[in-house]
Amino acid sequence: MDYRNLRQLLSAQNWKDADKETYSLMLKISERENVCWLDDGDIRKFPRYDLHIINQLWVKYSDGKFGFSIQKQILQNHQQFTARCGWIENLAKNELIKYEDYNFTLDANKGHLPSTPRIVGLGLRNTNEITHRLNIFYSRY
């Protein structure tokens, strides 16, 4: 897989386009471009090598603020994971924010990017589903 475009976008701190590129790369690697998200089986089969590269690029160019490994640390250390990452719109209703409302700056919450809920197919669904999928996803490390 060619990661040059992702590296370029991240080094330019173009977080939104880097997030979109991450999403596209992960779907391409999983051959799920027509479905637009990864199911449990796809997540379990996702190559660790590629996951590691994508994560390292995010961590490096965000100075440790963004990346899957950062999200995994937050998940392990905080019950209110989605709130800590800034992915929750309405805590009372337990609803995720829409993609267009993500914060694509370094002012975003730690772990806010990449947009993992979108990658694993959670979209605007209730956040009760998120822990199961993210545990599978982060176990790939």
Side-chain angles (χ1 to χ4, degrees), residues 16-34:
K16 187 171 188 175
D17 288 342
D19 186 65
K20 289 178 180 180
E21 178 69 7
T22 298
Y23 176 72
S24 294
L25 284 168
M26 293 184 74
L27 292 177
K28 187 174 186 175
I29 291 165
S30 300
E31 298 178 357
R32 296 279 291 185
E33 295 160 296
N34 59 334

Side-chain angles (χ1 to χ4, degrees), residues 66-123:
F66 301 139
F68 301 129
S69 61
I70 304 304
Q71 294 168 355
K72 182 178 180 180
Q73 290 170 3
I74 294 168
L75 178 65
Q76 290 174 340
N77 296 320
H78 302 287
Q79 286 185 320
Q80 297 296 327
F81 174 67
T82 53
R84 299 280 301 178
C85 287
W87 294 337
I88 201 88
E89 178 177 13
N90 184 328
L91 194 54
K93 290 184 179 180
N94 216 20
E95 294 174 349
L96 296 174
I97 63 172
K98 295 178 179 131
Y99 182 71
E100 51 271 9
D101 294 331
Y102 270 67
N103 183 349
F104 295 99
T105 72
L106 279 177
D107 293 330
N109 292 18
K110 188 172 185 174
H112 189 67
L113 297 170
S115 60
T116 308
R118 187 169 78 125
I119 293 168
V120 298
L122 297 174

Side-chain angles (χ1 to χ4, degrees), residues 36-47:
C36 298
W37 59 279
L38 307 181
D39 65 19
D40 291 4
D42 298 314
I43 294 167
R44 285 185 179 100
K45 292 186 296 188
F46 196 89

